[in-house]
Amino acid sequence: MNKNLKRAAKLLTAPAAALTLLLPVLAATATPAAAATDAYTFTNTDGTLNATGNGDGNQISVTPDGTNYTNWRLIRLGAPGTFNLANTSSGKCVYASQPAVQQSCGKEGEQWHFRPVDGKPNSFGIVRRDDSSGTEYCMDNRGGLHLWGILAQPNVCNGSASQQWTVPASKAAEARALALDYYADLCAKRTSTCSWTQRSEGQPEVLPRQPASSVWYNDTAGTMKQVFTTIYHSGWAQSFSVGLSSSVGVSAPVQAMISNQLTATQTYQSDETTVNGIAVDVPAGNYGWVDFAAVGKKVTGTWTFDTDNQPWTTDATVTVPVVNSAAGSTMYVARTSPQAPGSGTGGADVTPAALARTATGTMDVPAGARLTAHKNGVRVVGADGATIATVEPGTVTDTGGTAHRVVLTVAGNTVTQTVEGVTGDTVTGTITPPTFSLGGGTPAGIAASASASAPASESGDEHDKCMAKKIGTSIVVGGAMGALTGPEGVAIGMLTGAFKGIAKGVLECGPNS
């Protein structure tokens, strides 16, 4: 057995890697023949890839005159960018034996992906990867003549002309998008296989709003206050945008790779424990919900993917969320509308109000706890030093559309909130509710001080929901439920309510177990 054959044998016996299924599973058990007009053909310097018959075990060859079964279709698989290669005549799939043969589809050893050949827009490698070793095997010529031409087989990729397959121009964009899916997913898992070179970055802009809560309908005759609890999870799914958009999201390691080349702007990382309770006055006959949006930058540059010293590149535009920008970092927008979201109507935003540039309030804290400054927010710390919760201020957007950063300072139990970039004593606009994260574990003394009615064995998820409800019902603006009035009160009222809700939750929600 020659060296290449041994390597291919190892490839065929290696178990398939467990890949995250980011793409829909489009493979079907049946493999009906596709029309030739929708087919791929693959040609290298020696001829056209073809099946030598329609039966199981028929060999795959490279025929100079292309007279055999030369049309192929792709059966997409669950792993990003991967597919079975099925002959349109037989419906059978290429199996990576030596030489390659066709057999019934859906078996291990039939998974392939494309790799573009740099400088040749319509040329691709037809590749299998051994994830245990990182070795890639490219469909190649076996060498030697056969009744139907030269037999084909996978050999270790080496960049030779016989491993470069030209596809129809009409199929090149689809093949390149599949290649990007595959190698972007690999890049997210193994950043050593890729690199990013930035060319330019745009200005911070608000990304499209996304629904961040359930939708509630007020079917009563009067305005009702409804608390919407929203829980965010870390991670972003912006796309590599290169013509046909890839479906693979930008993972945290890849986002970090891009962020390292940005100017002073930092990237935004959400916290999966962040829980937000937002109280909304929903008019009679209206729907109420909460939207969430982040601020991002469109960054242009070039990706280089290199798995075995055969690099290929693609220009791309990637959107990354940012902080420390003039547009702020995130926003929550309370929405009400007679029509449900998604019906084509936008719904009304929260009404602007006069907000004090500087406002001070004394915060409720649980017994034995204290407040400490933490980055741009305030932490509630238990007697033993464990974090109960962290509160971050909202963002003020004035009527001109300018977002203003809000900063907090702490002195004992007194918190001062300042809206930056405001020249007068007040600014007219909207303020997003503060966000809060719940600390891990149960700080000392909380279990003992919990209400007797609180469940003793409440789960962490139930505890967080309970805390969110307590905090959400306390974050109220407009004079209801104890909120402060006037510009200073409106400015700091939601913040005061958040701390009041935390103190109430510690008493009534039980331990976080």
Side-chain angles (χ1 to χ4, degrees), residues 209 280-281 283 286-287 289-292 331-338 345-353 397-398 429-432:
R209 292 178 182 178
V280 181
D281 289 321
N286 273 244
Y287 295 87
W289 70 96
V290 175
D291 284 346
F292 169 78
M331 61 175 61
Y332 303 94
V333 183
R335 312 283 287 182
T336 61
S337 173
T345 58
D349 289 349
V350 176
T351 304
T397 302
D398 63 30
T430 58
I431 184 169
T432 63

Side-chain angles (χ1 to χ4, degrees), residues 246-272:
S246 167
S247 302
V248 179
V250 180
S251 68
V254 174
Q255 181 176 301
M257 186 187 305
I258 300 169
S259 305
N260 287 339
Q261 298 177 39
L262 293 175
T263 56
T265 305
Q266 300 173 9
T267 58
Y268 170 76
Q269 294 286 347
S270 62
D271 184 344
E272 65 180 6

Side-chain angles (χ1 to χ4, degrees), residues 21 43 47 118 143 146 155 220 225 227 230 232 368 384 450:
L21 302 184
T43 303
D118 246 12
H146 185 272
N155 290 326
T220 70
K225 190 174 296 294
V227 176
T230 57
Y232 292 99
D384 66 345

